[in-house]
Amino acid sequence: MTSATRVLVLNSGSSSVKYQLLDMRDGSRLAVGLVERIGEGASRLAHTPAGGAPRERTAPVAGHEAALGAVAEELAADGLGLDSPELAAIGHRVVHGGLRFTEPTVVTDEVLAEVERLVPVAPLHNPANIVGIRTARALRPDLPQVAVFDTAFHTTMPEYAARYAIDVETADAHRIRRYGFHGTSHAYVSRETARLLGRDPSEVNVIVLHLGNGASASAVAGGRCVDTSMGLTPLEGLVMGTRSGDVDPAVTFHLRRVAGMSVDEIDELLNRRSGLVGLCGDNDMREIRRRIDGGDERARLAFDVYVHRLKKYIGAYCAVLGRVDALAFTAGVGENAAPVREAAVEGLEGLGLAVDAELNAVRSGGPRLISPAGARVAVAVVPTDEELEIARQAYSLVNR
Ligand code: ADP
């Protein structure tokens, strides 16, 4: 047990660090901020203390160590320094936890070594997460550093949902299977959806649609994930801002053999130049809606491809779950884009799904129902809060 009540949450990317300091007595934010363009000469630091004015500056930040140093300085300027005895833990978002990490885990040398062994399956994310953890450990070696894994919530998927139908020996030798991502968000949102319905998570079956720039769907039965749309990497599944989601795997052979592209070029095409941006040049749903309103056909097609894929996953997860109690929309698009929500359930009355136009049009930052009164399946908008979930998981681990 600790009497300290604050948790610092760090989300370390390859060239950025996002952070939030939370007070676990009520989950409130004491400060939020980010350092971006690390190692690029002119890095940008933005810091906002609770109830205070945002501060922003541009300065050279050579690496993650310097970035965390800058974060520590900003926090100290508000009397929230990292040396404070009020700090109970630092919670780290770690993208890939493989099969081993099914729970939040206090970081040890052995845990770090295992996260490092997973780099080949998460080459874009895990290295930055590891640097973030190492740096924070050096700064406060006495403090528990807790790793919270994006994949953890999905480790309950049954084997038949996690397996690709490829040669088992080859798959196992290279740890090729469906891991899923955005797990912290799916866990939080499925639980909050149950709360919105006034029921225990163990009693309800929920389909969660996390629609941000990255997007994924999950089927959650009684609080446990039974299927999710992302796979070995975050490329599989829904159409995203810049990622293709599902394609025939033979498209990649074709691009290699017929279009003469290298593997790196194909990787870049499917991860960065596909999805909404590939279809119409924009990945922001607000801009796409504006273009549609102006009669733009490419934007219309991009929207229709996006929604069609969503519908297919909703239908698939109705089948996977058998009984669905709620469908929850979350993240940037899910929380804000009423036309996406409307189009995604249009024509699905046979599955018990519908939205009420007036409720769907309400703008609010809180969880809310948008299905008509008495609907068989509750359709909801449930804002996600990955930082709060990471902080809660880290805090409950150090308070066991
Ligand atoms: P990330 O995956 O980067 O965390 P977010 O969950 O913040 O993404 O979602 C970002 C996306 O949300 C934007 O690219 C944009 O398409 C969409 N979005 C944000 N605000 C709105 C809005 N008011 N209306 C429609 N779409 C929005």
mmCIF file of all heavy atoms in Angstrom, residues 199-234:
data_model
loop_
_atom_site.group_PDB
_atom_site.id
_atom_site.type_symbol
_atom_site.label_atom_id
_atom_site.label_comp_id
_atom_site.label_asym_id
_atom_site.label_seq_id
_atom_site.Cartn_x
_atom_site.Cartn_y
_atom_site.Cartn_z
ATOM 1 N N ARG A 199 -25.445 -1.871 -15.514
ATOM 2 C CA ARG A 199 -25.267 -3.312 -15.311
ATOM 3 C C ARG A 199 -23.809 -3.644 -15.050
ATOM 4 O O ARG A 199 -22.908 -2.867 -15.338
ATOM 5 C CB ARG A 199 -25.780 -4.071 -16.540
ATOM 6 C CG ARG A 199 -27.267 -3.816 -16.730
ATOM 7 C CD ARG A 199 -27.769 -4.450 -17.985
ATOM 8 N NE ARG A 199 -27.701 -5.902 -17.940
ATOM 9 C CZ ARG A 199 -28.048 -6.670 -18.955
ATOM 10 N NH1 ARG A 199 -28.461 -6.134 -20.082
ATOM 11 N NH2 ARG A 199 -27.961 -7.978 -18.862
ATOM 12 N N ASP A 200 -23.583 -4.844 -14.519
ATOM 13 C CA ASP A 200 -22.223 -5.282 -14.269
ATOM 14 C C ASP A 200 -21.602 -5.726 -15.605
ATOM 15 O O ASP A 200 -22.270 -6.382 -16.409
ATOM 16 C CB ASP A 200 -22.248 -6.456 -13.279
ATOM 17 C CG ASP A 200 -20.858 -6.739 -12.758
ATOM 18 O OD1 ASP A 200 -20.456 -6.065 -11.791
ATOM 19 O OD2 ASP A 200 -20.173 -7.616 -13.341
ATOM 20 N N PRO A 201 -20.300 -5.392 -15.840
ATOM 21 C CA PRO A 201 -19.672 -5.799 -17.100
ATOM 22 C C PRO A 201 -19.777 -7.303 -17.363
ATOM 23 O O PRO A 201 -19.842 -7.734 -18.521
ATOM 24 C CB PRO A 201 -18.199 -5.384 -16.910
ATOM 25 C CG PRO A 201 -18.232 -4.297 -15.904
ATOM 26 C CD PRO A 201 -19.403 -4.582 -14.997
ATOM 27 N N SER A 202 -19.800 -8.105 -16.313
ATOM 28 C CA SER A 202 -19.856 -9.563 -16.499
ATOM 29 C C SER A 202 -21.185 -10.017 -17.093
ATOM 30 O O SER A 202 -21.313 -11.143 -17.555
ATOM 31 C CB SER A 202 -19.612 -10.271 -15.164
ATOM 32 O OG SER A 202 -20.681 -9.968 -14.285
ATOM 33 N N GLU A 203 -22.190 -9.121 -17.093
ATOM 34 C CA GLU A 203 -23.523 -9.509 -17.574
ATOM 35 C C GLU A 203 -23.788 -9.097 -19.016
ATOM 36 O O GLU A 203 -24.807 -9.484 -19.584
ATOM 37 C CB GLU A 203 -24.601 -8.799 -16.745
ATOM 38 C CG GLU A 203 -24.674 -9.183 -15.303
ATOM 39 C CD GLU A 203 -25.623 -8.243 -14.560
ATOM 40 O OE1 GLU A 203 -26.200 -7.315 -15.179
ATOM 41 O OE2 GLU A 203 -25.768 -8.453 -13.354
ATOM 42 N N VAL A 204 -22.906 -8.244 -19.581
ATOM 43 C CA VAL A 204 -23.274 -7.688 -20.888
ATOM 44 C C VAL A 204 -22.284 -8.028 -21.998
ATOM 45 O O VAL A 204 -21.087 -8.200 -21.765
ATOM 46 C CB VAL A 204 -23.455 -6.146 -20.833
ATOM 47 C CG1 VAL A 204 -24.628 -5.761 -19.968
ATOM 48 C CG2 VAL A 204 -22.200 -5.454 -20.372
ATOM 49 N N ASN A 205 -22.853 -8.143 -23.196
ATOM 50 C CA ASN A 205 -22.044 -8.344 -24.399
ATOM 51 C C ASN A 205 -22.017 -7.042 -25.190
ATOM 52 O O ASN A 205 -23.070 -6.486 -25.513
ATOM 53 C CB ASN A 205 -22.641 -9.449 -25.272
ATOM 54 C CG ASN A 205 -22.514 -10.822 -24.626
ATOM 55 O OD1 ASN A 205 -21.811 -10.973 -23.624
ATOM 56 N ND2 ASN A 205 -23.188 -11.802 -25.191
ATOM 57 N N VAL A 206 -20.808 -6.584 -25.491
ATOM 58 C CA VAL A 206 -20.662 -5.263 -26.114
ATOM 59 C C VAL A 206 -19.771 -5.354 -27.353
ATOM 60 O O VAL A 206 -18.742 -6.032 -27.334
ATOM 61 C CB VAL A 206 -20.012 -4.260 -25.119
ATOM 62 C CG1 VAL A 206 -19.995 -2.846 -25.701
ATOM 63 C CG2 VAL A 206 -20.713 -4.272 -23.775
ATOM 64 N N ILE A 207 -20.185 -4.655 -28.402
ATOM 65 C CA ILE A 207 -19.278 -4.438 -29.544
ATOM 66 C C ILE A 207 -18.730 -3.023 -29.388
ATOM 67 O O ILE A 207 -19.508 -2.072 -29.271
ATOM 68 C CB ILE A 207 -20.024 -4.557 -30.893
ATOM 69 C CG1 ILE A 207 -20.595 -5.965 -31.067
ATOM 70 C CG2 ILE A 207 -19.087 -4.204 -32.063
ATOM 71 C CD1 ILE A 207 -21.502 -6.122 -32.291
ATOM 72 N N VAL A 208 -17.403 -2.903 -29.339
ATOM 73 C CA VAL A 208 -16.778 -1.580 -29.212
ATOM 74 C C VAL A 208 -16.145 -1.207 -30.547
ATOM 75 O O VAL A 208 -15.387 -1.989 -31.123
ATOM 76 C CB VAL A 208 -15.692 -1.569 -28.107
ATOM 77 C CG1 VAL A 208 -15.012 -0.200 -28.036
ATOM 78 C CG2 VAL A 208 -16.293 -1.936 -26.754
ATOM 79 N N LEU A 209 -16.475 -0.013 -31.034
ATOM 80 C CA LEU A 209 -15.851 0.502 -32.256
ATOM 81 C C LEU A 209 -14.970 1.686 -31.867
ATOM 82 O O LEU A 209 -15.476 2.763 -31.556
ATOM 83 C CB LEU A 209 -16.929 0.951 -33.255
ATOM 84 C CG LEU A 209 -17.917 -0.139 -33.693
ATOM 85 C CD1 LEU A 209 -18.998 0.468 -34.576
ATOM 86 C CD2 LEU A 209 -17.209 -1.270 -34.425
ATOM 87 N N HIS A 210 -13.653 1.451 -31.824
ATOM 88 C CA HIS A 210 -12.693 2.521 -31.516
ATOM 89 C C HIS A 210 -12.278 3.130 -32.849
ATOM 90 O O HIS A 210 -11.511 2.535 -33.601
ATOM 91 C CB HIS A 210 -11.488 1.944 -30.762
ATOM 92 C CG HIS A 210 -10.408 2.953 -30.498
ATOM 93 N ND1 HIS A 210 -10.107 3.411 -29.243
ATOM 94 C CD2 HIS A 210 -9.574 3.605 -31.340
ATOM 95 C CE1 HIS A 210 -9.125 4.305 -29.321
ATOM 96 N NE2 HIS A 210 -8.780 4.430 -30.587
ATOM 97 N N LEU A 211 -12.841 4.296 -33.168
ATOM 98 C CA LEU A 211 -12.603 4.915 -34.477
ATOM 99 C C LEU A 211 -11.831 6.219 -34.307
ATOM 100 O O LEU A 211 -12.407 7.292 -34.154
ATOM 101 C CB LEU A 211 -13.950 5.189 -35.176
ATOM 102 C CG LEU A 211 -14.946 4.014 -35.224
ATOM 103 C CD1 LEU A 211 -16.249 4.444 -35.894
ATOM 104 C CD2 LEU A 211 -14.341 2.815 -35.948
ATOM 105 N N GLY A 212 -10.516 6.103 -34.281
ATOM 106 C CA GLY A 212 -9.662 7.297 -34.226
ATOM 107 C C GLY A 212 -8.945 7.395 -35.549
ATOM 108 O O GLY A 212 -9.511 7.035 -36.587
ATOM 109 N N ASN A 213 -7.706 7.832 -35.543
ATOM 110 C CA ASN A 213 -6.931 7.786 -36.767
ATOM 111 C C ASN A 213 -6.607 6.317 -37.055
ATOM 112 O O ASN A 213 -6.799 5.828 -38.158
ATOM 113 C CB ASN A 213 -5.678 8.642 -36.601
ATOM 114 C CG ASN A 213 -5.190 9.133 -37.934
ATOM 115 O OD1 ASN A 213 -5.889 9.046 -38.943
ATOM 116 N ND2 ASN A 213 -3.970 9.621 -37.960
ATOM 117 N N GLY A 214 -6.173 5.602 -36.013
ATOM 118 C CA GLY A 214 -6.182 4.139 -36.070
ATOM 119 C C GLY A 214 -7.576 3.698 -35.661
ATOM 120 O O GLY A 214 -8.234 4.409 -34.904
ATOM 121 N N ALA A 215 -8.042 2.561 -36.155
ATOM 122 C CA ALA A 215 -9.410 2.149 -35.808
ATOM 123 C C ALA A 215 -9.462 0.638 -35.615
ATOM 124 O O ALA A 215 -8.811 -0.114 -36.342
ATOM 125 C CB ALA A 215 -10.379 2.562 -36.913
ATOM 126 N N SER A 216 -10.230 0.222 -34.609
ATOM 127 C CA SER A 216 -10.410 -1.211 -34.404
ATOM 128 C C SER A 216 -11.747 -1.490 -33.742
ATOM 129 O O SER A 216 -12.309 -0.626 -33.069
ATOM 130 C CB SER A 216 -9.270 -1.788 -33.543
ATOM 131 O OG SER A 216 -9.280 -1.214 -32.256
ATOM 132 N N ALA A 217 -12.246 -2.711 -33.978
ATOM 133 C CA ALA A 217 -13.496 -3.159 -33.383
ATOM 134 C C ALA A 217 -13.179 -4.312 -32.452
ATOM 135 O O ALA A 217 -12.197 -5.036 -32.672
ATOM 136 C CB ALA A 217 -14.445 -3.620 -34.481
ATOM 137 N N SER A 218 -13.989 -4.476 -31.412
ATOM 138 C CA SER A 218 -13.821 -5.672 -30.598
ATOM 139 C C SER A 218 -15.164 -6.202 -30.162
ATOM 140 O O SER A 218 -16.146 -5.459 -30.060
ATOM 141 C CB SER A 218 -12.933 -5.406 -29.374
ATOM 142 O OG SER A 218 -13.601 -4.560 -28.473
ATOM 143 N N ALA A 219 -15.201 -7.505 -29.925
ATOM 144 C CA ALA A 219 -16.392 -8.178 -29.401
ATOM 145 C C ALA A 219 -16.059 -8.581 -27.969
ATOM 146 O O ALA A 219 -15.091 -9.317 -27.746
ATOM 147 C CB ALA A 219 -16.711 -9.408 -30.255
ATOM 148 N N VAL A 220 -16.832 -8.050 -27.018
ATOM 149 C CA VAL A 220 -16.531 -8.264 -25.606
ATOM 150 C C VAL A 220 -17.718 -8.977 -24.946
ATOM 151 O O VAL A 220 -18.824 -8.441 -24.901
ATOM 152 C CB VAL A 220 -16.249 -6.921 -24.898
ATOM 153 C CG1 VAL A 220 -15.851 -7.145 -23.435
ATOM 154 C CG2 VAL A 220 -15.145 -6.145 -25.624
ATOM 155 N N ALA A 221 -17.476 -10.200 -24.488
ATOM 156 C CA ALA A 221 -18.546 -11.007 -23.881
ATOM 157 C C ALA A 221 -18.330 -11.068 -22.375
ATOM 158 O O ALA A 221 -17.319 -11.607 -21.923
ATOM 159 C CB ALA A 221 -18.531 -12.417 -24.477
ATOM 160 N N GLY A 222 -19.255 -10.470 -21.634
ATOM 161 C CA GLY A 222 -19.158 -10.512 -20.169
ATOM 162 C C GLY A 222 -17.843 -9.958 -19.654
ATOM 163 O O GLY A 222 -17.244 -10.494 -18.725
ATOM 164 N N GLY A 223 -17.346 -8.902 -20.291
ATOM 165 C CA GLY A 223 -16.120 -8.239 -19.825
ATOM 166 C C GLY A 223 -14.842 -8.808 -20.408
ATOM 167 O O GLY A 223 -13.761 -8.269 -20.169
ATOM 168 N N ARG A 224 -14.939 -9.900 -21.168
ATOM 169 C CA ARG A 224 -13.740 -10.505 -21.753
ATOM 170 C C ARG A 224 -13.762 -10.371 -23.274
ATOM 171 O O ARG A 224 -14.791 -10.630 -23.904
ATOM 172 C CB ARG A 224 -13.657 -11.999 -21.394
ATOM 173 C CG ARG A 224 -13.373 -12.245 -19.935
ATOM 174 C CD ARG A 224 -13.695 -13.685 -19.572
ATOM 175 N NE ARG A 224 -12.797 -14.652 -20.208
ATOM 176 C CZ ARG A 224 -11.607 -14.996 -19.723
ATOM 177 N NH1 ARG A 224 -11.169 -14.471 -18.608
ATOM 178 N NH2 ARG A 224 -10.863 -15.876 -20.349
ATOM 179 N N CYS A 225 -12.612 -9.983 -23.832
ATOM 180 C CA CYS A 225 -12.537 -9.841 -25.283
ATOM 181 C C CYS A 225 -12.553 -11.219 -25.944
ATOM 182 O O CYS A 225 -11.778 -12.106 -25.572
ATOM 183 C CB CYS A 225 -11.261 -9.099 -25.677
ATOM 184 S SG CYS A 225 -11.089 -8.998 -27.466
ATOM 185 N N VAL A 226 -13.446 -11.409 -26.913
ATOM 186 C CA VAL A 226 -13.487 -12.693 -27.629
ATOM 187 C C VAL A 226 -13.066 -12.554 -29.106
ATOM 188 O O VAL A 226 -12.828 -13.547 -29.773
ATOM 189 C CB VAL A 226 -14.867 -13.385 -27.515
ATOM 190 C CG1 VAL A 226 -15.121 -13.816 -26.076
ATOM 191 C CG2 VAL A 226 -16.005 -12.491 -28.013
ATOM 192 N N ASP A 227 -13.001 -11.335 -29.596
ATOM 193 C CA ASP A 227 -12.463 -11.124 -30.949
ATOM 194 C C ASP A 227 -12.155 -9.645 -31.135
ATOM 195 O O ASP A 227 -12.761 -8.791 -30.482
ATOM 196 C CB ASP A 227 -13.451 -11.577 -32.035
ATOM 197 C CG ASP A 227 -12.740 -11.994 -33.326
ATOM 198 O OD1 ASP A 227 -11.522 -11.750 -33.457
ATOM 199 O OD2 ASP A 227 -13.411 -12.577 -34.200
ATOM 200 N N THR A 228 -11.203 -9.368 -32.000
ATOM 201 C CA THR A 228 -10.876 -7.976 -32.295
ATOM 202 C C THR A 228 -10.342 -7.890 -33.710
ATOM 203 O O THR A 228 -9.892 -8.893 -34.271
ATOM 204 C CB THR A 228 -9.875 -7.406 -31.255
ATOM 205 O OG1 THR A 228 -9.817 -5.982 -31.398
ATOM 206 C CG2 THR A 228 -8.475 -7.979 -31.425
ATOM 207 N N SER A 229 -10.419 -6.699 -34.302
ATOM 208 C CA SER A 229 -10.176 -6.599 -35.744
ATOM 209 C C SER A 229 -8.701 -6.436 -36.117
ATOM 210 O O SER A 229 -8.313 -6.749 -37.232
ATOM 211 C CB SER A 229 -10.987 -5.448 -36.333
ATOM 212 O OG SER A 229 -10.636 -4.221 -35.716
ATOM 213 N N MET A 230 -7.869 -5.910 -35.201
ATOM 214 C CA MET A 230 -6.449 -5.807 -35.533
ATOM 215 C C MET A 230 -5.760 -7.147 -35.275
ATOM 216 O O MET A 230 -6.261 -7.954 -34.489
ATOM 217 C CB MET A 230 -5.784 -4.695 -34.718
ATOM 218 C CG MET A 230 -6.148 -3.298 -35.222
ATOM 219 S SD MET A 230 -5.402 -2.014 -34.198
ATOM 220 C CE MET A 230 -5.643 -0.571 -35.236
ATOM 221 N N GLY A 231 -4.631 -7.377 -35.914
ATOM 222 C CA GLY A 231 -4.047 -8.707 -35.852
ATOM 223 C C GLY A 231 -2.630 -8.745 -35.338
ATOM 224 O O GLY A 231 -2.341 -8.289 -34.239
ATOM 225 N N LEU A 232 -1.740 -9.311 -36.143
ATOM 226 C CA LEU A 232 -0.311 -9.343 -35.793
ATOM 227 C C LEU A 232 0.210 -7.926 -35.591
ATOM 228 O O LEU A 232 1.031 -7.664 -34.728
ATOM 229 C CB LEU A 232 0.475 -10.021 -36.929
ATOM 230 C CG LEU A 232 1.999 -9.983 -36.819
ATOM 231 C CD1 LEU A 232 2.492 -10.926 -35.724
ATOM 232 C CD2 LEU A 232 2.669 -10.321 -38.155
ATOM 233 N N THR A 233 -0.296 -7.018 -36.428
ATOM 234 C CA THR A 233 0.054 -5.595 -36.336
ATOM 235 C C THR A 233 -1.257 -4.801 -36.405
ATOM 236 O O THR A 233 -2.314 -5.364 -36.694
ATOM 237 C CB THR A 233 0.977 -5.167 -37.503
ATOM 238 O OG1 THR A 233 0.169 -5.017 -38.670
ATOM 239 C CG2 THR A 233 2.092 -6.166 -37.754
ATOM 240 N N PRO A 234 -1.172 -3.490 -36.187
ATOM 241 C CA PRO A 234 -2.405 -2.682 -36.259
ATOM 242 C C PRO A 234 -2.917 -2.440 -37.678
ATOM 243 O O PRO A 234 -3.786 -1.621 -37.882
ATOM 244 C CB PRO A 234 -1.982 -1.354 -35.598
ATOM 245 C CG PRO A 234 -0.768 -1.661 -34.812
ATOM 246 C CD PRO A 234 -0.062 -2.727 -35.589
#
